[in-house]
Amino acid sequence: MKQPNFIVVYCDDLGYGDLGCYGSETVKTPHLDGLADEGIRFTNWYSNSPVCSPSRASLLTGKYPGRAGVGEILGAKRGSHGLPATEVTLAKALKPAGYRTALYGKWHLGLSEATSPNAHGFDEFFGFKAGCVDFYSHIFYWGQAHGVNPLHDLWENETEVWENGRYMTELITERSVDFIKRSREQKAPFFLFTSYNAPHYPMHAPQEYMNRFAHLPWDRQVMAAMIAAVDDGVGEIVKALKEAGCYEDTVIFFSSDNGPSSESRNWLDGTEDVYYGGSAGIFRGHKASLFEGGIREPAILSWPNGLEGGQVRDEVAAMMDIVPTFLDLAGVDPAAAPLQGVALDGSSLKGMLRMGEPSPHKQLFWEYQGQLAVREEKWKLVLNGKLDFDRVVPDQVHLSDLSKDPGERSNLADHYPEIVERLSQDVRAWYEEVQSNGS
């Protein structure tokens, strides 16, 4: 079997409950629903962080965020460093195997040339390097409280470019489709990272998409409109793959960096209240929370020629598994250069997906701003948990049986003190190891 192409389609702040195939009754996502029908839909897929930069670092390096050197949301000031140059991304690991690589959209792993997408293995980059931009002017406005002036943030590789008035989601789709069309002239396989900034604030959508959801209250309307624009983009990408004759030979992975934002800055009318536009479905918590709503993500994997479609998989998996899984599917030895000597935290899911093997993870761990969490089979322990960036919960120790209570509404800590003690020791030992061995 020839080496497959790889496409990662990544959203920003998309909730578990905001796709049709994940139960949304308001957001319509026919293209993603179709991809799920033809591929594999995961119900226990996790981000390795409840916020953007660390999640993206894990996705691209196969490591826990702290070990990849990116444990926090990175700043936006030009020249700011990010993902260390010593880290090997999936793009860099695939290049010796002859892969062409491109990233279009959000980077958020460094603004200096040494930490740019081009420096990390991407042949082509078009997009922005900070955490978010205005969808039409492509200006970053959100660092003023930290002494960062507004700045324009749109780049073609290392050259600043201007596309005033063009909707960012459509620009990302346009570039992705063009890359696929050009692949017809190339004999090399490719890795394309289509990194949408929707539905991250600011809440912007073209009128045609707003009109589709005119029956909804504004916060849900604009959220649905932004996601629908992404869904149409996925439809264009799939269409381009089919026209190029490479759809069946392309692995497509779709997910989001973390759960929905509850930040009041999502409102555009000055409302200083929790934002209700995004949905985590039945799960508790939002972006920045280590409860399920902040880290459990919609995830779809499709490869018509390599994986049986129409599956729903309940095994536990995480973003850091993408690097070893894609390398395995490409027949690339992770022990060879440039990954030689690099210890990955993720595991290949090939055996799980093809042979029905169990999840390679006995335990998964998380940490973010004083919160710690661990999942072991049905058990989930959260220490010092928050619901988002600001809202704390009364119980500093929260134990859930996710098989019976996936929404983490009942605290079983007092009923199973021995499990609390064991899992607490495990997650604290992991955190100490990550802190001491991080890049």
Side-chain angles (χ1 to χ4, degrees), residues 87-127:
E87 292 298 328
V88 179
T89 66
L90 177 59
K92 194 174 286 186
L94 286 171
K95 283 185 70 63
Y99 277 77
R100 298 165 52 239
T101 59
L103 187 155
Y104 304 122
K106 175 172 176 171
W107 172 238
H108 206 188
L109 287 173
L111 282 83
S112 67
E113 283 199 31
T115 57
S116 70
N118 296 130
H120 275 296
F122 289 99
D123 300 323
E124 299 182 22
F125 168 61
F126 170 84

Side-chain angles (χ1 to χ4, degrees), residues 315-336:
E315 295 91 349
V316 171
M319 299 301 174
M320 63 185 181
D321 296 327
I322 288 297
V323 168
T325 300
F326 280 17
L327 294 179
D328 199 357
L329 296 180
V332 175
D333 183 2

